[in-house]
Every structure is written in C-alpha cells, then in structure tokens.
Amino acid sequence: MNISRDKLGALFFFIFSVCYGYYATQIPLYPGEEYDVFTSQTMPKIYAVTAMIVSALALFLAIIEERKSVFLKAGDKDRPYFDRKGWTQCGALIGLMFFYGGTIEALGFILSTIVFLIIGYLILDERRPKILFVASVPVVIVFWAIMTQLLGIYLSTGDIWS
C-alpha cells in the first residue's frame, strides 16, 4: 500500500481531529453547566466529529482514486478497480465489532467472543465446520482461562448467566 500525499494529508487531519475531540472533552465546565444542552464543550465536539467525518471521506476517496488510476494503468478490464466484496467484508466486520461490543455485557466474554469469531470467519469465507469450531471455541476458553485464572483479570460472565 502506497501512501500518497492525499492519503497522508487526510490521515494526518483525521488524527488531528481525534486528538482535538479528545481534548474537547477535557474543557472544564462551570458548576451546573453539565445539565445544559449547549455547554462550552459542545462546539469543539461538533467541530471534531465533523472534521473526522470529512477526513475519513477524503481518505476513502483518495484510496478509490488510487485504485482507479492503478486499474487504468494496468488496463486489466476483468478486474474491477473497486473491490466491492472486500469493502463489503470490511463493513461487515466493522458492524460485527459493534455487535460484539454491544453483546459482551449481556452474553459474557466466552459466548460473545465465540459468536464473534465464528461470524467473523464466516464473513471471511471460511466454511469448514471443523476449522470454525477449533479456531474459535478452544482459543476463547484457553484465553479466558489465562486471563482470569493466571492473571486474575476480570472478564464479564454475562447478565443472562447471573
């Protein structure tokens, strides 16, 4: 992957926006202001989110333009310059991460992580049941045992079990 000037600028602007958004949350509020709809943090947060969206779109468009130019130079008519399947898988994995974050408290670490890994492997076109089982269930249980039993780190057991 080449880093062009457009991608580097968009990436720099995105990182700057994330940092700005973080520091916008650190602006002190006056006493009683925390219940107001519009506070001293509101506009900086809006600026940060807007800048993150714009820079993410700029980065996305730079990647599309680069792929398009590579496609036109190669002259390969059979291979599309926009890999729809790859972007669909990427979007599905991002959605799966949101699902995982939303279900880990309810289902617990073990069950939600097993479901996350199985669905992730299915999104990545792995269809062999033995591989799906071996690459998810034992890995999660061993990882859970190491984290909780050896290292003493608490992992959520889930609301449905308690």
Side-chain angles (χ1 to χ4, degrees):
M1 178 174 167
N2 296 331
I3 299 283
S4 66
R5 192 172 53 189
D6 293 338
K7 286 194 285 188
L8 186 64
L11 187 62
F12 176 75
F13 192 60
F14 184 79
I15 292 170
F16 176 77
S17 303
V18 169
C19 292
Y20 182 78
Y22 172 74
Y23 285 112
T25 63
Q26 305 298 316
I27 295 173
L29 299 176
Y30 292 112
E33 193 181 30
E34 61 268 2
Y35 301 111
D36 291 343
V37 175
F38 195 87
T39 65
S40 56
Q41 294 179 352
T42 304
M43 286 310 290
K45 287 179 182 177
I46 291 173
Y47 293 148
V49 169
T50 304
M52 284 189 269
I53 291 170
V54 169
S55 60
L57 285 174
L59 183 62
F60 180 73
L61 290 176
I63 291 171
I64 295 293
E65 285 298 320
E66 180 184 294
R67 300 271 310 182
K68 187 177 181 179
S69 67
V70 167
F71 169 75
L72 292 176
K73 284 181 185 174
D76 189 7
K77 304 290 183 203
D78 296 332
R79 195 171 132 218
Y81 64 87
F82 182 78
D83 185 16
R84 183 179 299 247
K85 182 182 176 188
W87 285 100
T88 304
Q89 285 177 331
C90 182
L93 287 173
I94 290 171
L96 182 62
M97 284 188 258
F98 282 114
F99 171 77
Y100 179 69
T103 60
I104 193 165
E105 285 294 324
L107 299 177
F109 174 78
I110 293 176
L111 187 59
S112 64
T113 306
I114 289 172
V115 170
F116 172 78
L117 287 176
I118 289 174
I119 294 173
Y121 292 138
L122 290 172
I123 289 171
L124 295 174
D125 290 333
E126 179 57 54
R127 300 283 187 251
R128 295 173 286 183
K130 186 184 289 182
I131 298 295
L132 288 175
F133 179 78
V134 170
S136 57
V137 175
V139 169
V140 170
I141 291 174
V142 168
F143 184 76
W144 174 84
I146 290 171
M147 296 298 280
T148 59
Q149 305 303 313
L150 292 178
L151 300 175
I153 295 173
Y154 171 75
L155 294 175
S156 175
T157 56
D159 294 336
I160 62 171
W161 308 111
S162 56

